[in-house]
Amino acid sequence: MNITIKELQEKQSLTSLSPQEIRELICELCHHFYNLGWASGTGGGISVRDENHIYMAPSAVQKERLKPADIFVLDLEGQILQESGRDLKLSQCAPLFMHAYKQRHAGAVLHSHSLNAVIATELFDKQFTISNLEMQKGLDGYGAFDTVNVPIIDNTAYECDLADSLGEAIRNNPKSYAVLVRNHGVYVWGKNWQQAKTHAECYDYLFAAAARRKQLGIAND
Amino acid sequence: MNITIKELQEKQSLTSLSPQEIRELICELCHHFYNLGWASGTGGGISVRDENHIYMAPSAVQKERLKPADIFVLDLEGQILQESGRDLKLSQCAPLFMHAYKQRHAGAVLHSHSLNAVIATELFDKQFTISNLEMQKGLDGYGAFDTVNVPIIDNTAYECDLADSLGEAIRNNPKSYAVLVRNHGVYVWGKNWQQAKTHAECYDYLFAAAARRKQLGIAND
Amino acid sequence: MNITIKELQEKQSLTSLSPQEIRELICELCHHFYNLGWASGTGGGISVRDENHIYMAPSAVQKERLKPADIFVLDLEGQILQESGRDLKLSQCAPLFMHAYKQRHAGAVLHSHSLNAVIATELFDKQFTISNLEMQKGLDGYGAFDTVNVPIIDNTAYECDLADSLGEAIRNNPKSYAVLVRNHGVYVWGKNWQQAKTHAECYDYLFAAAARRKQLGIAND
Amino acid sequence: MNITIKELQEKQSLTSLSPQEIRELICELCHHFYNLGWASGTGGGISVRDENHIYMAPSAVQKERLKPADIFVLDLEGQILQESGRDLKLSQCAPLFMHAYKQRHAGAVLHSHSLNAVIATELFDKQFTISNLEMQKGLDGYGAFDTVNVPIIDNTAYECDLADSLGEAIRNNPKSYAVLVRNHGVYVWGKNWQQAKTHAECYDYLFAAAARRKQLGIAND
């Protein structure tokens, strides 16, 4: 497998945690995201990869009560290597997460049902746009005076059917670390779990800021 | 007792927890619901059943401070088998909860005073309506493009007087897992406690979304 | 000392906790109220009494970091029996709390700087009014279809100068368990700490409901 | 070093914690500020000084996961005495914090990305103004009937470039304990960490109150 220097550097940003530590981290983060309102009603979640494996939560379980043994292990092509300990199904987000792993060499991918994200998709049409907020600097490569755009794709009846349009949105928006899904939520990634979480917190803050500006009659730029 | 295959399957979804574990679970969930704002001022609560018993919280106590010994035990007809350890009265919700147990073979029933639910009953007349939100998929059998309706019944001076109209609303709305009570709150159920909690989180999110859409001038469909 | 049967009954509702347990309870409740947003910036607090003593927090300290040894002990006339362990001053609320203790035989009195309370004093003039909310039933003696009024008094430069008008508002509103202070917050009491806390949660919910109704164009009745 | 009596008194308000206790305190406070929404996306933070040293968090790390060994130690001129244990950079806020330490003899300086602060900078032009709120009394020297002004400076692309205008704003507003930065957040200080935290909580409450007043059509005075 030939990799570029840039890819190698990105690889070096991956987690150095043991498989068990990654499982515990995913549970801890899911609990945290639940408290932030990103994972209520069994929605949302996070997937983390190391050099050779991708760790992913099961579908339709209470994310704040996830146990380390519940986590699936996949290879870098997305094939299941290890089932969840309980009789559970892999997250329907799996094909979507794979696009960020493959196209962006992400180290972690996160899915949130935050109402801030959903409202953002209802206030904007083809893409969410905001500018002039210091919090933008939490997005790798962005400055406080840049404009941040996040593509919005339409929702589909089955989450797996989102994969093509999400993959296309990722390809067409090389500067974005996120794709919004209308009336649904947002997918966010980063080169490792810390950056994915930081990106997700910044985007959520930007979505909330746009709605508060709208409510208060403040121009969104 | 003759039961259909569907009823049998629902039974199999019931909790396999011991009586003491169910008591502890109810306390833990009440604490959690208090933190979500669903049980302030001693309001709200959850009832869970196993094969032969229904466990229910007492009335007018701080739900976030409930102790396992405080829980009442009822038979499947709603007769008290075991009083609360302290000098407390059974929840006034008991006859209301029984409708969901009997008509829907629920495994758990929840009552919330969430302000999101109350505001929903003030924004809508005979029924709450929302559509096109991914979070709807957390309601068993619903898709992201369906329309979710929740009947709204009028409040009564005494909670026990709600039982008839709640029973009627359940009968007339076989697809709903919830009944809203105007200026009061919501009753939600599921085939087990996990599903009741998931349903309640999804409905609360939908109620909040409708209000935010209204505030921001976004169409509710 | 001659007491009426009603007063005796109220006495029997007082806490049976030991002095040390009351001190710990006050710290726990202050921590809790801080998390509810009622005691930020060292504001707010709660005072609890037993048969012969009144326990009160010091002034101008971080309420969420209060220690049992910080609590002052007063006699039933409001004279300090025991100073705080640290070099601290008694809460400036002391003369205000005493009105609820003396006029209403309260078992606990609470002061909150909740923004919901402050906004309520800015949406209404001489008194806050709301009706038709189930949460009203958390106020002793109120039904879901009653109207709840809370008198609003004007703020003064020094908290001690509030005592006279607060005392008068208590006398003139015998059905209220609370007095709002304009641009300041609210005083709430109950026959024991549980009821004071329940009353405070219910009032705060009612204040929040009135503001959300206003925001959403819903009539407040 | 000649110091005035006033400076000496201020010094006496400094923390008497050991270096290790200060490191632990900074981590605890950063965790707390994260929960308040002031430090999401690695933003925000607090710096504390004792007689001879200034303790400061590193840049671009998750503030809620800070460890005591991560903290930098500086001398009173802002020169680094001790690097962070990990390969981290000093907070870009360092030159800004130094202005409050030097010009105001602050004992602690705090930076928050609270959305309440950011919205305040978008609702006001050159300075934030509010009056007639009891919570103002949490700001040292202010009364409930005073007017509180907080200067607003424009944001810059690099945080270090803010230092000059922040220093100027501090000089020109001797009664303020805070400087707002447009579309960015707020810097707040106090004579010790307790007062800096109290000031920050009061300002955040005042910023939130101004926005809620605007939303509800209430005059801001």
Side-chain angles (χ1 to χ4, degrees), chain A residues 118 122 183, chain B residues 130-137 144 206 209 213:
Chain A
V118 168
E122 301 183 348
N183 310 129
Chain B
I130 203 163
S131 49
N132 291 337
L133 276 174
E134 178 74 7
M135 191 59 90
Q136 300 173 185
K137 288 165 72 173
L206 298 178
R213 283 173 169 179

Side-chain angles (χ1 to χ4, degrees), chain A residues 46-83:
Chain A
I46 188 168
S47 161
V48 174
R49 86 168 164 92
D50 63 14
E51 288 291 308
N52 301 305
H53 305 95
I54 291 171
Y55 299 80
M56 213 173 278
S59 176
V61 296
Q62 298 178 75
K63 293 300 188 295
E64 78 279 15
R65 288 171 177 267
L66 216 56
K67 301 286 177 225
D70 296 340
I71 309 296
F72 282 80
V73 185
L74 287 67
D75 67 18
L76 298 187
E77 293 305 312
Q79 297 304 307
I80 296 177
L81 296 176
Q82 201 174 336
E83 299 276 347

Side-chain angles (χ1 to χ4, degrees), chain B residues 52-73:
Chain B
N52 300 307
H53 306 94
I54 291 171
Y55 299 80
M56 214 173 278
S59 176
V61 296
Q62 298 177 76
K63 293 301 187 297
E64 77 281 14
R65 288 170 176 267
L66 217 54
K67 302 286 177 226
D70 297 339
I71 308 295
F72 283 79
V73 185

Side-chain angles (χ1 to χ4, degrees), chain D residues 109-149:
Chain D
V109 192
L110 184 149
H111 179 44
S112 152
H113 281 195
S114 165
L115 201 42
N116 292 325
V118 168
I119 292 296
T121 70
E122 302 183 348
L123 289 175
F124 292 83
D125 185 18
K126 296 292 183 194
Q127 65 176 10
F128 170 84
T129 297
I130 203 164
S131 49
N132 291 337
L133 276 174
E134 177 74 7
M135 190 59 90
Q136 300 172 185
K137 288 166 72 174
L139 304 174
D140 192 21
Y142 282 85
F145 295 106
D146 289 334
T147 292
V148 172
N149 295 316

Side-chain angles (χ1 to χ4, degrees), chain B residues 2 27 71 114 118-119 142 144 150 163 182 184 193 195 221:
Chain B
N2 284 319
C27 296
I71 308 295
S114 166
V118 169
I119 292 295
Y142 282 85
V150 182
R182 188 158 346 266
H184 178 156
W193 71 267
Q195 196 190 62
D221 54 25

Side-chain angles (χ1 to χ4, degrees), chain C:
Chain C
M1 182 183 169
N2 285 318
I3 60 166
T4 65
I5 288 179
K6 183 156 179 299
E7 283 167 23
L8 189 66
Q9 286 171 332
E10 279 167 341
K11 272 184 174 298
Q12 289 169 342
S13 297
L14 289 181
T15 178
S16 59
L17 299 173
S18 73
Q20 178 62 18
E21 286 170 330
I22 295 177
R23 290 168 177 272
E24 288 166 5
L25 174 69
I26 289 176
C27 297
E28 181 189 341
L29 292 173
C30 281
H31 192 155
H32 182 64
F33 297 153
Y34 178 86
N35 287 338
L36 293 176
W38 299 359
S40 58
T42 78
I46 188 167
S47 161
V48 175
R49 87 168 164 93
D50 62 15
E51 288 291 308
N52 301 307
H53 305 95
I54 292 171
Y55 299 80
M56 214 173 278
S59 176
V61 296
Q62 298 178 76
K63 292 302 187 298
E64 78 279 16
R65 287 170 178 268
L66 217 55
K67 301 287 177 224
D70 296 339
I71 309 296
F72 283 79
V73 186
L74 287 68
D75 67 18
L76 298 187
E77 294 304 313
Q79 299 303 308
I80 296 177
L81 297 176
Q82 201 175 337
E83 299 275 349
S84 165
R86 290 189 283 156
D87 181 26
L88 295 166
K89 283 193 289 187
L90 181 63
S91 168
Q92 295 183 320
C93 303
L96 297 125
F97 285 172
M98 290 312 296
H99 276 294
Y101 283 126
K102 289 188 172 180
Q103 291 193 46
R104 294 291 167 82
H105 304 286
V109 192
L110 184 149
H111 178 43
S112 150
H113 281 195
S114 165
L115 202 42
N116 292 324
V118 168
I119 291 295
T121 70
E122 302 184 347
L123 288 174
F124 292 83
D125 185 18
K126 296 293 183 194
Q127 66 176 11
F128 170 85
T129 297
I130 203 163
S131 49
N132 291 337
L133 276 174
E134 177 73 8
M135 190 60 89
Q136 300 173 184
K137 288 165 71 174
L139 303 174
D140 192 21
Y142 282 85
F145 294 106
D146 290 333
T147 293
V148 173
N149 295 316
V150 183
I152 303 174
I153 61 174
D154 283 331
N155 201 17
T156 53
Y158 300 96
E159 203 145 9
C160 51
D161 294 339
L162 273 178
D164 286 351
S165 60
L166 187 110
E168 191 187 333
I170 292 180
R171 263 189 306 281
N172 294 342
N173 295 274
K175 284 201 60 183
S176 186
Y177 302 104
V179 176
L180 283 159
V181 185
R182 188 153 353 260
N183 310 129
H184 179 154
V186 66
Y187 288 85
V188 185
W189 58 89
K191 64 182 175 182
N192 49 34
W193 72 265
Q194 293 94 332
Q195 195 190 63
K197 174 174 172 289
T198 297
H199 283 173
E201 290 178 352
C202 291
Y203 280 120
D204 201 69
Y205 181 103
L206 299 177
F207 301 150
R212 290 192 67 174
R213 282 173 169 181
K214 176 99 197 301
Q215 253 179 336
L216 288 159
I218 300 166
N220 189 39
D221 53 26

Side-chain angles (χ1 to χ4, degrees), chain A residues 10-220:
Chain A
E10 279 167 340
K11 270 182 176 299
Q12 288 170 342
S13 298
L14 289 180
T15 179
S16 60
L17 300 173
S18 73
Q20 178 62 16
E21 287 170 330
I22 295 177
R23 290 168 177 271
E24 288 166 4
L25 174 69
I26 289 176
C27 296
E28 182 189 341
L29 292 173
C30 281
H31 193 154
H32 182 66
F33 297 153
Y34 178 86
N35 287 338
L36 293 176
W38 299 0
S40 59
T42 78
I46 188 168
S47 161
V48 174
R49 86 168 164 92
D50 63 14
E51 288 291 308
N52 301 305
H53 305 95
I54 291 171
Y55 299 80
M56 213 173 278
S59 176
V61 296
Q62 298 178 75
K63 293 300 188 295
E64 78 279 15
R65 288 171 177 267
L66 216 56
K67 301 286 177 225
D70 296 340
I71 309 296
F72 282 80
V73 185
L74 287 67
D75 67 18
L76 298 187
E77 293 305 312
Q79 297 304 307
I80 296 177
L81 296 176
Q82 201 174 336
E83 299 276 347
S84 165
R86 291 190 282 157
D87 181 25
L88 295 166
K89 282 193 290 188
L90 182 62
S91 168
Q92 294 182 322
C93 303
L96 297 125
F97 285 174
M98 291 311 296
H99 276 294
Y101 283 127
K102 289 189 170 179
Q103 290 193 48
R104 292 292 166 84
H105 304 288
V109 192
L110 184 149
H111 179 44
S112 152
H113 281 195
S114 166
L115 202 41
N116 292 325
V118 168
I119 291 295
T121 70
E122 301 183 348
L123 288 175
F124 292 83
D125 185 18
K126 296 293 181 194
Q127 65 176 11
F128 169 85
T129 298
I130 203 163
S131 48
N132 290 338
L133 276 174
E134 177 74 7
M135 191 59 91
Q136 299 173 186
K137 287 166 71 174
L139 304 174
D140 192 21
Y142 282 85
F145 294 106
D146 290 334
T147 293
V148 172
N149 295 316
V150 182
I152 303 174
I153 62 174
D154 284 332
N155 201 17
T156 54
Y158 299 96
E159 204 145 7
C160 51
D161 294 339
L162 273 178
D164 286 351
S165 59
L166 186 109
E168 191 186 333
I170 292 179
R171 262 191 305 282
N172 294 343
N173 295 274
K175 284 201 61 184
S176 185
Y177 302 104
V179 176
L180 283 159
V181 184
R182 189 160 342 269
N183 310 129
H184 179 155
V186 66
Y187 287 86
V188 185
W189 58 89
K191 64 183 176 183
N192 49 34
W193 72 266
Q194 292 96 331
Q195 195 189 64
K197 173 174 173 290
T198 297
H199 283 172
E201 290 179 351
C202 291
Y203 279 119
D204 201 69
Y205 181 103
L206 299 178
F207 301 151
R212 290 192 68 176
R213 284 172 168 181
K214 177 99 196 300
Q215 254 178 336
L216 289 159
I218 299 167
N220 188 39

